[in-house]
Amino acid sequence: MRRLPAALISFAQRLAAGQVVLSIERVLLLASLFFALFCNGLFLSGMLAGYDMAQPGSWLLAGSLVVVVAAVHFVLLGLLSTRWTTKPLLALLFVATAFAVHFMTRYKVYLDTAMLRNVLATDVREARDLMTWSLIPQLLLYAALPLWVLSRVRLQQRSVGRALLVRAGSLLLALLLAGGAIFVNFQDIASLMRNNRELRFLVTPANYLYSLGQVARSQAKAADRVREPVGVDAVPGAGWSGRQKPVVMVMVLGETARAANWGLSGYARQTTPELAAEAGIINFADVSSCGTDTETSLPCIFSPWGRRGYDETRIRNSESVLDVVARAGFRVVWVDNQSGCKGVCNGVESIRPDPAKSPALCADGECQDGALVDTLKQLVSETPGNLLIVLHQMGNHGPAYFKRYPDEFKQFTPACEDPDLPKCTGESIVNAYDNAIRYTDHVVASLVRTLREHAGHDSALLYVSDHGESLGEKGLFLHGVPYKIAPDVQTKVPMVMWFSSGFPASFALDDGCIGKVAATPLAHDHIFHTLLGLLDVKTSVYAREMDFSAKCRK
């Protein structure tokens, strides 16, 4: 036993002096064990949930899982590593894994394909909010320390023939070990993976490598493919021939607002007082989102297929309802106060709020959502004909909820003012989130008042959020949990409608009937067809049964 500390000290000294020589296979083995033992806590805890760790069988299962995870990573690394690529590859993985482990453990996110697509689409201002001081210890432990060790190790050189033979043998041994570990606990592992398939997106770094590959493949296919036309036969309906006024349809696309905190839907706090005071507001009590993240929900909302016939490739590579409405003669404008339209607005006019026109609401290159009201006024004033506007909010985008509203809307206190949410109390997180909802209420109500002032148009407004948010319930923060296991707070979203006094009569619509429909369960899936129905756009792609306003038109 006395020799062990002395041996460790000797090894550390040789390592510091750069005198440790290891084969590539040993380096890959050490890296794989590091990933399995230190970077997969969430995966292991998820797989072992419900098992009594006082029982030997539970420890056998845990050991088998570690062996499988280590073997999988060893095989993946072994297929890519050479004398020249081993160190750069591992260095990149150590850094990327440090970030992955931080965000997974801090916010309990799953690095599936949808989440990786969101990460790649994140702009600088969103990324800045996620770079908190709590990231430093993770970078030191999971990146800096392994990188230092890697830099001090010298790789053993072998002839090509011997290197290939050793590599093939080591990969075969890893596969045999993984197979043996699975065989020993086959019933448990097979059952767990069959019933908890989403847990595979917690195996790090394999999760983000797989998801990154899926995103790259999808984008490569999209680059070679022309967007599938949708509704090419779209024309104005018969009712348009006798119309006296131009029409303005405004769709407000909310961000990260959840129904659970929406005052109009029965939340204990009145977070929507201005909308509650506006005449003619129709609140929808039970609306389900198409996804739990923006990258999934946005294309899905504007597609004819939605969640019920979900085909991500087809949805992302097809035209949207915006193209269909444009063919019917509308000017279509996407106004983005977020990180882009995720391909939905390709082919139509797209602008951002102009800071020069809303200086009080725009600072440091970022406008608060109130600037969308000024943009709406400009677009309605300059457009003599029919107009469809989509206003994409910053809304309640986390984790910096406190940045989403002006100081005068800091109604609920104390409000968390640290983007590192786990540092804040649950009450203060909810307070900041509710303040942001309160500001969305003000913005949407202001848009309604603006449309009401433009009496020369028949106008309508639809507000709906893209997805919800977790605020610490069950240890979850933010959003993006795989849809099948996502909590209701991430999939239930608020939605409201408003019509000007002339719109229902102009389109033979019974708005009282819409109020009754609002009490029934609906989803993002209905929006594509309802927009076409409300605007009397005729096309073969329209499905009347998915138009929740159809039964309310005379």
Side-chain angles (χ1 to χ4, degrees):
M1 294 296 293
R2 294 180 181 178
R3 294 179 180 179
L4 184 59
L8 289 175
I9 293 173
S10 175
F11 177 80
Q13 290 174 339
R14 289 188 296 113
L15 182 65
Q19 297 175 351
V20 173
V21 180
L22 297 175
S23 67
I24 294 176
E25 288 71 28
R26 287 187 179 181
V27 171
L28 298 183
L29 176 61
L30 291 173
S32 300
L33 288 172
F34 172 79
F35 291 139
L37 293 170
F38 295 99
C39 304
N40 279 274
L42 284 178
F43 170 73
L44 294 173
S45 62
M47 291 288 283
L48 297 171
Y51 284 84
D52 182 3
M53 296 311 295
Q55 299 299 319
S58 299
W59 282 100
L60 179 62
L61 175 60
S64 296
L65 291 171
V66 170
V67 170
V68 172
V69 171
V72 166
H73 286 104
F74 181 87
V75 171
L76 290 174
L77 293 171
L79 293 173
L80 300 172
S81 298
T82 67
R83 185 192 309 170
W84 300 276
T85 63
T86 297
K87 285 195 173 184
L89 174 63
L90 288 178
L92 182 61
L93 288 180
F94 286 141
V95 174
T97 300
F99 281 95
V101 170
H102 171 74
F103 292 115
M104 290 171 63
T105 56
R106 202 70 177 164
Y107 301 110
K108 304 298 187 294
V109 298
Y110 290 69
L111 294 183
D112 59 2
T113 305
M115 182 57 70
L116 253 292
R117 190 174 279 115
N118 272 292
V119 170
L120 295 174
T122 298
D123 59 22
V124 174
R125 58 179 176 173
E126 291 176 355
R128 186 171 57 232
D129 291 337
L130 293 168
M131 298 298 112
T132 62
W133 290 107
S134 62
L135 181 58
I136 301 301
Q138 304 275 13
L139 288 176
L140 291 175
L141 178 61
Y142 295 102
L145 181 58
L147 285 174
W148 179 82
V149 173
L150 184 65
S151 70
R152 308 313 299 164
V153 170
R154 293 163 53 196
L155 298 179
Q156 184 181 45
Q157 296 186 20
R158 293 192 178 106
S159 64
V160 174
R162 180 170 176 75
L164 290 175
L165 185 63
V166 172
R167 182 63 52 83
S170 63
L171 292 178
L172 178 60
L173 179 59
L175 291 173
L176 290 173
L177 286 173
I182 293 174
F183 178 78
V184 170
N185 291 276
F186 180 77
Q187 292 295 337
D188 286 331
I189 294 177
S191 175
L192 285 167
M193 293 309 299
R194 182 172 58 251
N195 297 320
N196 302 277
R197 291 176 58 83
E198 291 76 14
L199 289 177
R200 69 188 188 277
F201 292 112
L202 296 177
V203 180
T204 313
N207 52 359
Y208 67 78
L209 293 175
Y210 170 81
S211 298
L212 187 61
Q214 291 294 97
V215 172
R217 187 179 70 169
S218 174
Q219 291 180 341
K221 288 183 178 180
D224 298 331
R225 182 183 301 170
V226 178
R227 293 174 77 207
E228 180 184 341
V230 172
V232 293
D233 58 346
V235 294
W240 281 95
S241 59
R243 196 168 306 284
Q244 301 298 316
K245 294 181 180 180
V247 170
V248 176
M249 168 64 77
V250 177
M251 181 172 178
V252 186
L253 195 57
E255 169 65 36
T256 322
R258 67 186 204 175
N261 291 55
W262 191 250
L264 289 174
S265 296
Y267 183 41
R269 282 177 170 172
Q270 181 48 287
T271 53
T272 54
E274 293 189 48
L275 285 173
E278 288 292 333
I281 295 295
I282 302 171
N283 183 69
F284 292 77
D286 185 0
V287 179
S288 298
S289 68
C290 188
T292 61
D293 59 272
T294 305
E295 281 284 337
T296 300
S297 281
L298 256 64
C300 191
I301 288 172
F302 293 90
S303 81
W305 305 288
R307 188 86 210 173
R308 69 196 185 285
Y310 191 72
D311 182 336
E312 180 180 342
T313 301
R314 188 180 189 188
I315 287 173
R316 298 187 70 85
N317 294 295
S318 298
E319 292 180 341
S320 72
V321 71
L322 305 184
D323 301 279
V324 182
V325 174
R327 288 194 183 98
F330 277 69
R331 179 189 179 190
V332 178
V333 184
W334 181 286
V335 185
D336 205 287
N337 198 35
Q338 250 264 26
S339 58
C341 68
K342 317 308 178 187
V344 173
C345 62
N346 291 352
V348 301
E349 187 178 349
S350 180
I351 62 174
R352 297 189 69 87
D354 186 353
K357 291 183 171 60
S358 308
L361 294 167
C362 301
D364 300 324
E366 181 174 339
C367 290
Q368 291 182 321
D369 286 332
L372 296 172
V373 180
D374 296 325
T375 306
L376 174 65
K377 292 177 181 178
Q378 176 188 341
L379 288 172
V380 173
S381 298
E382 71 183 23
T383 306
N386 299 319
L387 181 62
L388 169 62
I389 308 172
V390 181
L391 303 174
H392 189 194
Q393 288 186 292
M394 178 58 80
N396 277 54
H397 196 290
Y401 308 123
F402 64 96
K403 292 184 178 181
R404 308 300 173 229
Y405 52 88
D407 288 341
E408 57 266 32
F409 286 86
K410 190 177 179 180
Q411 178 180 349
F412 306 110
T413 57
C416 174
E417 297 190 352
D418 190 334
D420 193 355
L421 295 179
K423 287 184 177 179
C424 295
T425 64
E427 178 190 8
S428 66
I429 294 171
V430 173
N431 286 342
Y433 185 86
D434 285 351
N435 288 335
I437 290 283
R438 174 68 184 83
Y439 185 52
T440 286
D441 165 69
H442 169 72
V443 171
V444 177
S446 298
L447 293 168
V448 168
R449 290 190 286 267
T450 298
L451 291 173
R452 187 180 283 120
E453 291 169 359
H454 286 80
H457 297 79
D458 289 330
S459 53
L461 178 142
L462 169 65
Y463 166 86
V464 66
S465 183
D466 59 351
H467 55 78
E469 186 89 326
S470 289
L471 301 177
E473 300 92 351
K474 298 181 180 179
L476 294 173
F477 292 93
L478 305 181
H479 51 268
V481 171
Y483 199 88
K484 288 183 179 179
I485 62 171
D488 284 351
V489 291
Q490 293 194 26
T491 61
K492 295 295 184 179
V493 295
M495 186 166 83
V496 298
M497 290 196 79
W498 172 87
F499 303 105
S500 68
S501 58
F503 190 96
S506 177
F507 285 93
L509 180 70
D510 182 353
D511 53 344
C513 172
I514 295 287
K516 295 177 182 178
V517 173
T520 63
L522 295 170
H524 279 165
D525 288 26
H526 293 90
I527 291 176
F528 177 99
H529 305 280
T530 300
L531 283 176
L532 295 180
L534 287 173
L535 296 176
D536 192 18
V537 174
K538 301 303 181 184
T539 170
S540 58
V541 77
Y542 167 74
R544 180 180 173 84
E545 69 275 10
M546 294 304 297
D547 173 5
F548 65 73
S549 72
K551 64 180 68 174
C552 300
R553 289 197 299 275
K554 301 171 185 177

